[in-house]
């Protein structure tokens, strides 16, 4: 095995403008915010995003003018409402959108993970979605029954970017024992061409070997792994810490004002050199520990 631990700027510098990237996480859990901030710092633009249920990560990239096209199942802020910058980008025509149902998007990633160019599905029949994405959705006839299906093109990204829990230096990424499971990060990883993962903690390889069944992304899929505590802040990492509600509301309040998000990005991202500089805006690590899950629960995480 080869050591794959990198600094975040070095890992993200591999992504050129114009790339197609699959962005992990679900709703307010494990949005890869450290990665997103570095994309913005490095002014990587003209991106096509493939996402699951995305929130802050996509909205912030939209605010920075980094997105050209989006494909996914949902972009909003869950219980906090709509994604204001993403919505403005779509309404102005700056961001091209392609909507899918959950099962249809799963089929696209599953096809990529299986090395197939497409998978058949009935999920979008009777909807207007196929007509909106004719390059990715095409009607086909079943050779056995004559039924009509839809061929869903494999979701092939140039880079897959995820925030995980723990990993060793070789890129074996592990689940905690107690976790949520409403994302498709594992499937995205299986479908990846080039995979960059940030994790809350780098752990010894011996710890991975002791509990191999917790490894949900093997080192063979990973190009670079970056240790990044609170790498999803202000969203949550299940089993480690909850979302920072005050920080999320502050971002959304800024987004309502003309130029508000641009000012937010300048203060929290462009005027901070790295992730540590960003986190310092919210106080010391002791202050961030206020969002940690109970220590009793954490005993089951590592």
């Amino acid at each position: 095995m080869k050591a794959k631990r990198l600094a975040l700027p070095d890992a993200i510098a591999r992504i050129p403008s114009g790339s197609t990237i699959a962005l992990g996480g679900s709703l307010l859990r494990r949005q890869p915010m450290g990665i997103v901030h570095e994309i913005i710092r490095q002014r990587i633009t003209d991106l096509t995003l493939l996402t699951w249920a995305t929130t802050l990560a996509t909205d912030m990239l939209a605010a920075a003018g980094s997105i050209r096209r989006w494909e996914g199942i949902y972009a909003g802020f869950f219980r906090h409402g709509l994604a204001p910058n993403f919505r403005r980008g779509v309404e102005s025509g700056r961001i091209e959108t392609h909507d899918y149902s959950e099962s249809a998007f799963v089929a696209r990633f599953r096809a990529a993970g299986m090395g197939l160019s497409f998978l058949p599905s009935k999920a979008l029949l009777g909807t207007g979605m196929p007509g909106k994405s004719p390059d990715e959705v095409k009607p086909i006839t079943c050779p056995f029954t004559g039924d009509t299906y839809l061929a869903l093109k494999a979701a092939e990204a140039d880079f897959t970017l995820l925030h995980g829990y723990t990993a060793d230096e070789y890129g074996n990424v592990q689940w905690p024992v107690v976790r949520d499971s409403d994302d498709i990060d594992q499937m995205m990883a299986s479908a990846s061409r080039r995979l960059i993962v940030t994790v809350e903690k780098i752990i010894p390889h011996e710890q991975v070997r002791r509990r191999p069944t917790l490894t949900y992304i093997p080192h063979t899929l990973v190009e670079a792994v970056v240790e990044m505590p609170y790498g999803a802040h202000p969203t949550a990492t299940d089993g480690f810490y909850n979302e920072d509600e005050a920080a999320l509301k502050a971002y959304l309040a800024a987004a309502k004002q003309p130029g508000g998000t641009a000012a937010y990005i300048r203060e929290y991202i462009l005027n901070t050199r790295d992730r540590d500089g960003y986190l310092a805006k919210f106080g010391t690590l002791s202050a961030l520990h206020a969002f940690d899950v109970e220590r009793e629960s954490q005993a089951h995480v590592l």
Side-chain angles (χ1 to χ4, degrees), residues 257-274:
Q257 307 301 321
T261 314
Y264 184 99
I265 288 174
R266 281 196 303 273
E267 179 179 356
Y268 288 93
I269 302 175
L270 298 180
N271 291 343
T272 60
R273 187 175 62 178
D274 53 25

Side-chain angles (χ1 to χ4, degrees), residues 214-250:
L214 293 181
T215 300
Y216 69 104
I217 301 175
H219 69 97
T220 51
L221 298 176
V222 177
E223 178 172 321
V225 61
V226 180
E227 184 176 56
M228 186 176 295
Y230 298 97
H233 182 273
T235 66
T237 292
D238 40 299
F240 284 80
Y241 51 87
N242 298 314
E243 59 265 26
D244 184 340
E245 291 276 347
L248 286 167
K249 290 178 180 178

Side-chain angles (χ1 to χ4, degrees), residues 94-172:
R94 182 167 50 85
I95 299 175
E96 178 185 347
T97 61
H98 295 260
D99 300 295
Y100 292 88
S101 70
E102 292 186 15
S103 57
F105 216 48
V106 162
R108 293 192 62 201
F109 276 103
R110 186 168 289 157
M114 296 169 67
L116 300 175
S117 58
F118 76 94
L119 276 179
S121 173
K122 288 187 174 182
L124 303 183
L125 289 172
T127 75
M129 292 180 181
K132 191 174 180 181
S133 304
D135 292 335
E136 286 82 40
V137 184
K138 296 184 182 296
I140 58 174
T141 301
C142 174
F144 303 104
T145 65
D147 291 346
T148 298
Y149 288 82
L150 293 174
L152 302 177
K153 185 179 180 181
E156 296 179 336
D158 300 312
F159 292 87
T160 298
L161 309 175
L162 307 176
H163 182 66
Y165 307 93
T166 62
D168 63 16
E169 64 175 331
Y170 306 114
N172 293 296

Side-chain angles (χ1 to χ4, degrees), residues 11-12 15 19-25 32 35 39 50 109 112 155-163 184-198 217 221-224:
I12 300 307
I15 304 172
S19 295
T20 295
I21 63 175
L23 210 59
I35 290 174
I39 287 173
L50 311 181
F109 276 103
E156 296 179 336
D158 300 312
F159 292 87
T160 298
L161 309 175
L162 307 176
H163 182 66
I184 61 167
D185 283 15
Q186 184 181 32
M187 190 177 298
M188 284 183 169
S190 298
S192 63
R193 291 174 174 171
R194 302 180 67 179
L195 175 59
I196 298 171
V197 185
T198 57
I217 301 175
L221 298 176
V222 177
E223 178 172 321

